[in-house]
Amino acid sequence: SFMIPIFKLLKKSIDNLEFYVIGGSEEDSLFHSCKKNFTRTMQRIPFEELKPYYAAADVYVCLMFDKKALGSGGIGISSIESIASNTPVVGNNLFHFKGNLERVGINPRRPGKVVESIKTVLLENKYKNISVEAEQFYNWDYIMDYYIDSYNSLITKWKIKKLIPDLAKPLKKP
């Protein structure tokens, strides 16, 4: 619901602006409110069908206002998918991003900065090949190396070798 006034403000200053809302359900009153106010509103679709939408977008907006979820939720699959599709993100979850944030989008930090952040992304057109910035951190090789290093560190730190010798064998990287 917070995106409705944001979209209306943006629409006043950016011609031909379209805003897609994907997800939700006919049973949800917010879905009907979005349907009335946005360019295109769709119910949930399979993950595989989302990729063309990420790729076609000029900006992906992902805002969270639950501090607990924001603090522990990570960057989120949808933001990673957007970045992998070379679509910049405006989202307060970007503070979790491991790379150079300025290359992939903007963290508006305060609700009052959201409109300005979206305008910046849409009008400056400076976000090119952003997937390169993310792929060094968000790929399975990096993730597996991280987990192997973490596992081996825990074995050493907690001296598990003495307690459970069979489980305490260090993992080797492929």
Side-chain angles (χ1 to χ4, degrees), residues 2-174:
F2 57 87
M3 285 305 298
I4 294 170
I6 290 171
F7 176 66
K8 288 180 178 178
L9 280 170
L10 288 166
K11 191 85 170 139
K12 288 179 183 177
S13 61
I14 301 174
D15 292 334
N16 301 319
L17 183 67
E18 292 184 5
F19 195 91
Y20 283 57
V21 177
I22 300 173
S25 164
E26 289 282 345
E27 289 82 39
D28 187 348
S29 62
L30 180 57
F31 182 82
H32 293 286
S33 178
C34 289
K35 203 170 186 174
K36 189 169 50 176
N37 287 285
F38 295 119
T39 307
R40 180 120 187 239
T41 306
M42 300 168 57
Q43 292 189 52
R44 293 185 190 274
I45 59 175
F47 178 74
E48 299 77 32
E49 293 177 29
L50 285 172
K51 292 176 184 180
Y53 290 98
Y54 287 121
D58 294 317
V59 62
Y60 175 72
V61 180
C62 183
L63 301 169
M64 301 167 79
F65 294 104
D66 181 319
K67 290 189 186 243
K68 286 183 181 178
L70 183 60
S72 61
I75 187 174
I77 297 295
S78 59
S79 293
I80 293 170
E81 284 291 331
S82 178
I83 293 167
S85 300
N86 283 314
T87 299
V89 175
V90 170
N92 53 355
N93 60 340
L94 284 181
F95 78 90
H96 290 289
F97 184 71
K98 292 184 179 293
N100 182 351
L101 170 61
E102 289 76 29
R103 295 213 48 230
V104 300
I106 299 174
N107 176 358
R109 298 181 195 269
R110 297 188 309 275
K113 293 285 187 180
V114 174
V115 171
E116 176 187 327
S117 299
I118 295 170
K119 276 186 181 180
T120 299
V121 169
L122 290 173
L123 300 175
E124 286 189 6
N125 199 24
K126 71 176 187 175
Y127 298 94
K128 305 285 184 207
N129 299 316
I130 65 172
S131 63
V132 173
E133 182 64 31
E135 70 187 17
Q136 62 185 319
F137 301 107
Y138 299 96
N139 68 55
W140 285 113
D141 291 336
Y142 175 83
I143 292 167
M144 289 310 299
D145 284 349
Y146 172 80
Y147 280 110
I148 289 169
D149 290 344
S150 297
Y151 176 83
N152 289 339
S153 173
L154 286 171
I155 289 173
T156 303
K157 180 178 179 182
W158 297 103
K159 299 178 174 63
I160 292 177
K161 291 178 187 176
K162 293 177 185 174
L163 299 173
I164 314 169
D166 290 341
L167 292 177
K169 297 175 184 163
L171 296 175
K172 293 181 182 173
K173 294 179 183 178

